[in-house]
Amino acid sequence: MTRLIALDWGTTSLRAFLIEEGRVIETRKSPHGIQKLPEPGGEAGFNAAFTEICGPWLEAEPSLPVVAGGMVGSAQGWREAPYVPLPAAISDIARLSVSVETDLGARLHIAPGLVQDAPGLLPDVMRGEEIQILGAVSDHPERAEASRIILPGTHSKWVRLRAGRITDFATYMTGEVFDLLSNQSLLSRLMIGTGDEAERDMAFLQGVDLASESGPGDLTRQIFSARSLGLTGRMAGNVLRDYLSGLIIGHEITSARRELDGGEALLMIGEGALCARYLAAMAHLGLPPVVRLENTAPAGLWLFARSLGLLDAQK
Amino acid sequence: MTRLIALDWGTTSLRAFLIEEGRVIETRKSPHGIQKLPEPGGEAGFNAAFTEICGPWLEAEPSLPVVAGGMVGSAQGWREAPYVPLPAAISDIARLSVSVETDLGARLHIAPGLVQDAPGLLPDVMRGEEIQILGAVSDHPERAEASRIILPGTHSKWVRLRAGRITDFATYMTGEVFDLLSNQSLLSRLMIGTGDEAERDMAFLQGVDLASESGPGDLTRQIFSARSLGLTGRMAGNVLRDYLSGLIIGHEITSARRELDGGEALLMIGEGALCARYLAAMAHLGLPPVVRLENTAPAGLWLFARSLGLLDAQK
């Protein structure tokens, strides 16, 4: 039986999967994202987090291969893995991985990120999402022929796949801008309590509608209405947060939809409640149907390990 | 001789002007904005700040009239002054003022804000800027006939004046969004040091150019380039802050310019370095010439006091 330890190691969390023949048979979680290590001092902190989460599995089976994707491969991570330039085939991702020897003796193989850096284009980067993309196409190679993968989040990505390659993508700072505005700006002052679900959904779509009617440059003007609507009593404080969410997500969709091509499949990967909002907004605005996928990171890390030849070795 | 004490009392600062026949003859400053009072407890805190800054003048001349504009008239201020609905003539502003008795015996007259709340329009509010607008037109009534007053800042305002009335305006959260992104977002990590002036100006205009080419919804996508340009080495960390500033200010101008009418005068009031950036961006984008005015708050408060009849009494 072929087994793998796969780590999804981000900035604020670390998840570990024990995978057997492509199926996750055990999952472990830890708060030790690369910015929340159990002890400071680089190497030692990473090793401590690694030992804590993988120790039990590696003690039982020391020869298990181990791979990781995410910010653990960034300049602030354990070992910096380069960015693979686009357009990139799936196999290119394995080629630019790096590895590090752990205190437990196991070698950890870290996936690279992707960079869009062609002359004349605005550059863009991703790290972590490429693993989700690998997972989305691993059992469905037809998806890599013509699809757009949407990954809502702190830094949302809209990624184009064509003829087996990731050709280009765009990042929107939607989640981070929403968090800053709803928690730390003047707008947060009037956001009090939580409205009932139907009212919240209505306020969200009201924001989406306004965004869809916006002209270039209108975002910083439209978001101030999350204050003025509250001050004038036209919208209750307990749904202003949802309205603001609709505005900012609506701006992302309004921008990104212009680049959609007919005939491509739309796929979405991300946290459930957030994806539900994106799906509601996109349906409301008349975009084509979107297929939502569950967390594809384990499948992506399995494919990454297979590309590295780590799974053949066990056979 | 007619004299007046005029207070520009905002959220984080308090400035007091002793004005004689319309000319500022003495200025005093205090850190006691309405959120930084010398003692807590509402009334007592406001009185303490007021006594500290106005005491010397009122001891010498107890009958001096005193007026104030700004956030001191907000719900979090000393006494809430209502919002005057638009369109509003200059004289309407005096009509909706409120007053409060101070511990020194003097009565403080507080100016109201403005609200745009017509059905079918996105509502908008201002408090403090209306005083600057009064000042801009006080000795130049022709400016109230057909002009656009631009007030760059935390919450920038573009205000339309027609036939002696303030008819409508738009608020852009430009300054606050820039502060949040450049100090508290992931973008701030790569912003290290300060480039030389020519390089900073060039990065600023590069941001303005990208903004001017944007489509609806593109802001949260474009700002991520302040990270990717740094990561790919295409832009130095010491000018990324200026590039981001150009992007966000550029979005404001790109949106607001669509509403400009031919034949109106463009006037700008605000802090010097910030206005210089707006003027550079607007000239770069080919907008009509803008006349920059120095701080017009003292003149505005003088006009407010005259509308209240406070200056006649002394004659």
PDB file of all heavy atoms in Angstrom, chain B residues 2 4 21-22 65 67 90 94 134 137-139 299-313 315:
ATOM      1  N   THR B   2     -14.433  94.338  15.542  1.00  0.00           N
ATOM      2  CA  THR B   2     -15.176  93.101  15.714  1.00  0.00           C
ATOM      3  C   THR B   2     -14.208  91.924  15.817  1.00  0.00           C
ATOM      4  O   THR B   2     -13.350  91.743  14.958  1.00  0.00           O
ATOM      5  CB  THR B   2     -16.121  92.877  14.521  1.00  0.00           C
ATOM      6  OG1 THR B   2     -16.906  94.052  14.348  1.00  0.00           O
ATOM      7  CG2 THR B   2     -17.026  91.695  14.773  1.00  0.00           C
ATOM      8  N   LEU B   4     -13.618  87.610  17.064  1.00  0.00           N
ATOM      9  CA  LEU B   4     -14.289  86.299  17.161  1.00  0.00           C
ATOM     10  C   LEU B   4     -13.267  85.246  17.560  1.00  0.00           C
ATOM     11  O   LEU B   4     -12.126  85.280  17.094  1.00  0.00           O
ATOM     12  CB  LEU B   4     -14.878  85.924  15.786  1.00  0.00           C
ATOM     13  CG  LEU B   4     -15.460  84.517  15.616  1.00  0.00           C
ATOM     14  CD1 LEU B   4     -16.791  84.382  16.357  1.00  0.00           C
ATOM     15  CD2 LEU B   4     -15.652  84.195  14.127  1.00  0.00           C
ATOM     16  N   GLU B  21     -11.844  91.542  12.523  1.00  0.00           N
ATOM     17  CA  GLU B  21     -12.256  92.080  11.217  1.00  0.00           C
ATOM     18  C   GLU B  21     -11.898  91.114  10.081  1.00  0.00           C
ATOM     19  O   GLU B  21     -11.403  91.518   9.029  1.00  0.00           O
ATOM     20  CB  GLU B  21     -11.592  93.458  10.973  1.00  0.00           C
ATOM     21  CG  GLU B  21     -11.925  94.519  11.998  1.00  0.00           C
ATOM     22  CD  GLU B  21     -13.415  94.916  12.001  1.00  0.00           C
ATOM     23  OE1 GLU B  21     -14.150  94.523  11.089  1.00  0.00           O
ATOM     24  OE2 GLU B  21     -13.819  95.593  12.963  1.00  0.00           O
ATOM     25  N   GLY B  22     -12.108  89.835  10.327  1.00  0.00           N
ATOM     26  CA  GLY B  22     -11.886  88.836   9.280  1.00  0.00           C
ATOM     27  C   GLY B  22     -10.459  88.353   9.152  1.00  0.00           C
ATOM     28  O   GLY B  22     -10.186  87.426   8.379  1.00  0.00           O
ATOM     29  N   PRO B  65     -17.574  86.493  21.076  1.00  0.00           N
ATOM     30  CA  PRO B  65     -18.377  85.370  20.583  1.00  0.00           C
ATOM     31  C   PRO B  65     -17.467  84.188  20.218  1.00  0.00           C
ATOM     32  O   PRO B  65     -16.303  84.393  19.847  1.00  0.00           O
ATOM     33  CB  PRO B  65     -19.071  85.948  19.350  1.00  0.00           C
ATOM     34  CG  PRO B  65     -18.227  87.096  18.924  1.00  0.00           C
ATOM     35  CD  PRO B  65     -17.547  87.638  20.150  1.00  0.00           C
ATOM     36  N   VAL B  67     -17.390  80.388  18.088  1.00  0.00           N
ATOM     37  CA  VAL B  67     -18.034  79.415  17.201  1.00  0.00           C
ATOM     38  C   VAL B  67     -17.093  78.238  16.956  1.00  0.00           C
ATOM     39  O   VAL B  67     -15.876  78.364  17.147  1.00  0.00           O
ATOM     40  CB  VAL B  67     -18.422  80.038  15.831  1.00  0.00           C
ATOM     41  CG1 VAL B  67     -19.463  81.146  16.008  1.00  0.00           C
ATOM     42  CG2 VAL B  67     -17.185  80.552  15.095  1.00  0.00           C
ATOM     43  N   ILE B  90     -25.781  78.779   1.577  1.00  0.00           N
ATOM     44  CA  ILE B  90     -24.856  79.085   2.665  1.00  0.00           C
ATOM     45  C   ILE B  90     -25.622  79.467   3.934  1.00  0.00           C
ATOM     46  O   ILE B  90     -25.273  79.051   5.046  1.00  0.00           O
ATOM     47  CB  ILE B  90     -23.921  80.246   2.228  1.00  0.00           C
ATOM     48  CG1 ILE B  90     -23.165  79.875   0.944  1.00  0.00           C
ATOM     49  CG2 ILE B  90     -22.987  80.627   3.345  1.00  0.00           C
ATOM     50  CD1 ILE B  90     -22.388  78.591   1.003  1.00  0.00           C
ATOM     51  N   ALA B  94     -26.184  78.317   8.939  1.00  0.00           N
ATOM     52  CA  ALA B  94     -26.328  79.023  10.211  1.00  0.00           C
ATOM     53  C   ALA B  94     -27.636  78.623  10.897  1.00  0.00           C
ATOM     54  O   ALA B  94     -27.699  78.474  12.120  1.00  0.00           O
ATOM     55  CB  ALA B  94     -26.274  80.524   9.973  1.00  0.00           C
ATOM     56  N   LEU B 134     -17.508  77.196   3.087  1.00  0.00           N
ATOM     57  CA  LEU B 134     -17.948  78.558   3.403  1.00  0.00           C
ATOM     58  C   LEU B 134     -16.782  79.529   3.241  1.00  0.00           C
ATOM     59  O   LEU B 134     -16.927  80.619   2.673  1.00  0.00           O
ATOM     60  CB  LEU B 134     -18.448  78.661   4.852  1.00  0.00           C
ATOM     61  CG  LEU B 134     -19.767  77.992   5.224  1.00  0.00           C
ATOM     62  CD1 LEU B 134     -20.208  78.461   6.615  1.00  0.00           C
ATOM     63  CD2 LEU B 134     -20.829  78.334   4.203  1.00  0.00           C
ATOM     64  N   VAL B 137     -15.855  80.496  -0.355  1.00  0.00           N
ATOM     65  CA  VAL B 137     -16.749  81.392  -1.103  1.00  0.00           C
ATOM     66  C   VAL B 137     -16.973  82.733  -0.401  1.00  0.00           C
ATOM     67  O   VAL B 137     -17.565  83.635  -0.988  1.00  0.00           O
ATOM     68  CB  VAL B 137     -18.127  80.724  -1.377  1.00  0.00           C
ATOM     69  CG1 VAL B 137     -17.934  79.405  -2.118  1.00  0.00           C
ATOM     70  CG2 VAL B 137     -18.917  80.522  -0.092  1.00  0.00           C
ATOM     71  N   SER B 138     -16.494  82.869   0.852  1.00  0.00           N
ATOM     72  CA  SER B 138     -16.901  84.052   1.628  1.00  0.00           C
ATOM     73  C   SER B 138     -16.490  85.368   0.966  1.00  0.00           C
ATOM     74  O   SER B 138     -17.286  86.295   0.895  1.00  0.00           O
ATOM     75  CB  SER B 138     -16.368  83.970   3.053  1.00  0.00           C
ATOM     76  OG  SER B 138     -14.972  84.089   3.048  1.00  0.00           O
ATOM     77  N   ASP B 139     -15.264  85.446   0.481  1.00  0.00           N
ATOM     78  CA  ASP B 139     -14.862  86.684  -0.198  1.00  0.00           C
ATOM     79  C   ASP B 139     -14.952  86.560  -1.707  1.00  0.00           C
ATOM     80  O   ASP B 139     -14.537  87.458  -2.440  1.00  0.00           O
ATOM     81  CB  ASP B 139     -13.408  87.044   0.186  1.00  0.00           C
ATOM     82  CG  ASP B 139     -13.343  87.616   1.586  1.00  0.00           C
ATOM     83  OD1 ASP B 139     -14.390  88.112   2.075  1.00  0.00           O
ATOM     84  OD2 ASP B 139     -12.262  87.550   2.204  1.00  0.00           O
ATOM     85  N   ALA B 299     -11.862  81.715   7.664  1.00  0.00           N
ATOM     86  CA  ALA B 299     -12.804  82.544   6.902  1.00  0.00           C
ATOM     87  C   ALA B 299     -14.210  81.939   6.938  1.00  0.00           C
ATOM     88  O   ALA B 299     -15.217  82.666   7.000  1.00  0.00           O
ATOM     89  CB  ALA B 299     -12.328  82.694   5.461  1.00  0.00           C
ATOM     90  N   GLY B 300     -14.279  80.596   6.914  1.00  0.00           N
ATOM     91  CA  GLY B 300     -15.581  79.938   6.959  1.00  0.00           C
ATOM     92  C   GLY B 300     -16.267  80.126   8.296  1.00  0.00           C
ATOM     93  O   GLY B 300     -17.485  80.358   8.365  1.00  0.00           O
ATOM     94  N   LEU B 301     -15.487  80.045   9.364  1.00  0.00           N
ATOM     95  CA  LEU B 301     -16.075  80.223  10.698  1.00  0.00           C
ATOM     96  C   LEU B 301     -16.498  81.684  10.911  1.00  0.00           C
ATOM     97  O   LEU B 301     -17.492  81.970  11.585  1.00  0.00           O
ATOM     98  CB  LEU B 301     -15.080  79.759  11.771  1.00  0.00           C
ATOM     99  CG  LEU B 301     -14.890  78.225  11.797  1.00  0.00           C
ATOM    100  CD1 LEU B 301     -13.609  77.843  12.539  1.00  0.00           C
ATOM    101  CD2 LEU B 301     -16.105  77.536  12.445  1.00  0.00           C
ATOM    102  N   TRP B 302     -15.732  82.618  10.336  1.00  0.00           N
ATOM    103  CA  TRP B 302     -16.100  84.037  10.398  1.00  0.00           C
ATOM    104  C   TRP B 302     -17.447  84.261   9.701  1.00  0.00           C
ATOM    105  O   TRP B 302     -18.348  84.923  10.228  1.00  0.00           O
ATOM    106  CB  TRP B 302     -14.988  84.872   9.748  1.00  0.00           C
ATOM    107  CG  TRP B 302     -15.225  86.356   9.724  1.00  0.00           C
ATOM    108  CD1 TRP B 302     -15.742  87.081   8.690  1.00  0.00           C
ATOM    109  CD2 TRP B 302     -14.945  87.289  10.772  1.00  0.00           C
ATOM    110  NE1 TRP B 302     -15.802  88.407   9.027  1.00  0.00           N
ATOM    111  CE2 TRP B 302     -15.314  88.571  10.300  1.00  0.00           C
ATOM    112  CE3 TRP B 302     -14.419  87.171  12.061  1.00  0.00           C
ATOM    113  CZ2 TRP B 302     -15.183  89.733  11.075  1.00  0.00           C
ATOM    114  CZ3 TRP B 302     -14.279  88.322  12.832  1.00  0.00           C
ATOM    115  CH2 TRP B 302     -14.651  89.586  12.347  1.00  0.00           C
ATOM    116  N   LEU B 303     -17.596  83.653   8.520  1.00  0.00           N
ATOM    117  CA  LEU B 303     -18.856  83.796   7.772  1.00  0.00           C
ATOM    118  C   LEU B 303     -20.008  83.134   8.528  1.00  0.00           C
ATOM    119  O   LEU B 303     -21.129  83.673   8.579  1.00  0.00           O
ATOM    120  CB  LEU B 303     -18.704  83.159   6.376  1.00  0.00           C
ATOM    121  CG  LEU B 303     -19.923  83.200   5.450  1.00  0.00           C
ATOM    122  CD1 LEU B 303     -20.400  84.632   5.232  1.00  0.00           C
ATOM    123  CD2 LEU B 303     -19.593  82.553   4.104  1.00  0.00           C
ATOM    124  N   PHE B 304     -19.721  81.978   9.138  1.00  0.00           N
ATOM    125  CA  PHE B 304     -20.739  81.291   9.950  1.00  0.00           C
ATOM    126  C   PHE B 304     -21.194  82.200  11.101  1.00  0.00           C
ATOM    127  O   PHE B 304     -22.401  82.385  11.348  1.00  0.00           O
ATOM    128  CB  PHE B 304     -20.142  79.975  10.476  1.00  0.00           C
ATOM    129  CG  PHE B 304     -20.964  79.245  11.505  1.00  0.00           C
ATOM    130  CD1 PHE B 304     -22.289  78.898  11.264  1.00  0.00           C
ATOM    131  CD2 PHE B 304     -20.395  78.879  12.722  1.00  0.00           C
ATOM    132  CE1 PHE B 304     -23.036  78.211  12.229  1.00  0.00           C
ATOM    133  CE2 PHE B 304     -21.134  78.191  13.686  1.00  0.00           C
ATOM    134  CZ  PHE B 304     -22.449  77.862  13.437  1.00  0.00           C
ATOM    135  N   ALA B 305     -20.230  82.823  11.783  1.00  0.00           N
ATOM    136  CA  ALA B 305     -20.560  83.719  12.911  1.00  0.00           C
ATOM    137  C   ALA B 305     -21.368  84.922  12.417  1.00  0.00           C
ATOM    138  O   ALA B 305     -22.317  85.369  13.078  1.00  0.00           O
ATOM    139  CB  ALA B 305     -19.275  84.179  13.603  1.00  0.00           C
ATOM    140  N   ARG B 306     -21.010  85.444  11.257  1.00  0.00           N
ATOM    141  CA  ARG B 306     -21.739  86.597  10.718  1.00  0.00           C
ATOM    142  C   ARG B 306     -23.175  86.195  10.370  1.00  0.00           C
ATOM    143  O   ARG B 306     -24.118  86.926  10.664  1.00  0.00           O
ATOM    144  CB  ARG B 306     -21.013  87.119   9.467  1.00  0.00           C
ATOM    145  CG  ARG B 306     -21.418  88.541   9.096  1.00  0.00           C
ATOM    146  CD  ARG B 306     -20.472  89.135   8.073  1.00  0.00           C
ATOM    147  NE  ARG B 306     -20.551  88.429   6.797  1.00  0.00           N
ATOM    148  CZ  ARG B 306     -19.616  88.477   5.854  1.00  0.00           C
ATOM    149  NH1 ARG B 306     -18.506  89.180   6.041  1.00  0.00           N
ATOM    150  NH2 ARG B 306     -19.763  87.827   4.726  1.00  0.00           N
ATOM    151  N   SER B 307     -23.343  84.980   9.800  1.00  0.00           N
ATOM    152  CA  SER B 307     -24.701  84.512   9.474  1.00  0.00           C
ATOM    153  C   SER B 307     -25.548  84.360  10.732  1.00  0.00           C
ATOM    154  O   SER B 307     -26.769  84.496  10.697  1.00  0.00           O
ATOM    155  CB  SER B 307     -24.652  83.152   8.773  1.00  0.00           C
ATOM    156  OG  SER B 307     -23.764  83.174   7.690  1.00  0.00           O
ATOM    157  N   LEU B 308     -24.893  84.031  11.841  1.00  0.00           N
ATOM    158  CA  LEU B 308     -25.611  83.877  13.113  1.00  0.00           C
ATOM    159  C   LEU B 308     -25.928  85.226  13.749  1.00  0.00           C
ATOM    160  O   LEU B 308     -26.610  85.285  14.776  1.00  0.00           O
ATOM    161  CB  LEU B 308     -24.765  83.062  14.106  1.00  0.00           C
ATOM    162  CG  LEU B 308     -24.671  81.557  13.892  1.00  0.00           C
ATOM    163  CD1 LEU B 308     -23.663  80.964  14.881  1.00  0.00           C
ATOM    164  CD2 LEU B 308     -26.029  80.895  14.084  1.00  0.00           C
ATOM    165  N   GLY B 309     -25.384  86.312  13.201  1.00  0.00           N
ATOM    166  CA  GLY B 309     -25.599  87.644  13.791  1.00  0.00           C
ATOM    167  C   GLY B 309     -24.680  87.938  14.959  1.00  0.00           C
ATOM    168  O   GLY B 309     -24.861  88.920  15.682  1.00  0.00           O
ATOM    169  N   LEU B 310     -23.684  87.094  15.169  1.00  0.00           N
ATOM    170  CA  LEU B 310     -22.813  87.270  16.337  1.00  0.00           C
ATOM    171  C   LEU B 310     -21.873  88.458  16.180  1.00  0.00           C
ATOM    172  O   LEU B 310     -21.347  88.978  17.164  1.00  0.00           O
ATOM    173  CB  LEU B 310     -21.970  86.010  16.571  1.00  0.00           C
ATOM    174  CG  LEU B 310     -22.735  84.739  16.932  1.00  0.00           C
ATOM    175  CD1 LEU B 310     -21.775  83.558  17.008  1.00  0.00           C
ATOM    176  CD2 LEU B 310     -23.463  84.932  18.255  1.00  0.00           C
ATOM    177  N   LEU B 311     -21.621  88.859  14.949  1.00  0.00           N
ATOM    178  CA  LEU B 311     -20.651  89.937  14.740  1.00  0.00           C
ATOM    179  C   LEU B 311     -21.330  91.316  14.771  1.00  0.00           C
ATOM    180  O   LEU B 311     -20.741  92.290  15.208  1.00  0.00           O
ATOM    181  CB  LEU B 311     -19.905  89.723  13.418  1.00  0.00           C
ATOM    182  CG  LEU B 311     -19.243  88.351  13.296  1.00  0.00           C
ATOM    183  CD1 LEU B 311     -18.439  88.246  12.009  1.00  0.00           C
ATOM    184  CD2 LEU B 311     -18.345  88.045  14.497  1.00  0.00           C
ATOM    185  N   ASP B 312     -22.598  91.346  14.335  1.00  0.00           N
ATOM    186  CA  ASP B 312     -23.363  92.597  14.398  1.00  0.00           C
ATOM    187  C   ASP B 312     -23.414  93.104  15.834  1.00  0.00           C
ATOM    188  O   ASP B 312     -23.289  94.296  16.099  1.00  0.00           O
ATOM    189  CB  ASP B 312     -24.816  92.388  13.936  1.00  0.00           C
ATOM    190  CG  ASP B 312     -24.867  91.640  12.613  1.00  0.00           C
ATOM    191  OD1 ASP B 312     -23.919  91.792  11.822  1.00  0.00           O
ATOM    192  OD2 ASP B 312     -25.854  90.901  12.383  1.00  0.00           O
ATOM    193  N   ALA B 313     -23.603  92.182  16.757  1.00  0.00           N
ATOM    194  CA  ALA B 313     -23.821  92.549  18.154  1.00  0.00           C
ATOM    195  C   ALA B 313     -22.707  93.413  18.706  1.00  0.00           C
ATOM    196  O   ALA B 313     -22.921  94.208  19.620  1.00  0.00           O
ATOM    197  CB  ALA B 313     -23.963  91.285  18.989  1.00  0.00           C
ATOM    198  N   LYS B 315     -21.070  95.662  17.127  1.00  0.00           N
ATOM    199  CA  LYS B 315     -20.870  96.956  16.468  1.00  0.00           C
ATOM    200  C   LYS B 315     -21.615  98.084  17.184  1.00  0.00           C
ATOM    201  O   LYS B 315     -22.455  97.833  18.037  1.00  0.00           O
ATOM    202  CB  LYS B 315     -21.310  96.836  15.012  1.00  0.00           C
ATOM    203  CG  LYS B 315     -20.336  95.928  14.264  1.00  0.00           C
ATOM    204  CD  LYS B 315     -20.387  96.096  12.776  1.00  0.00           C
ATOM    205  CE  LYS B 315     -19.217  95.325  12.142  1.00  0.00           C
ATOM    206  NZ  LYS B 315     -19.514  94.971  10.761  1.00  0.00           N
TER     207      LYS B 315
END
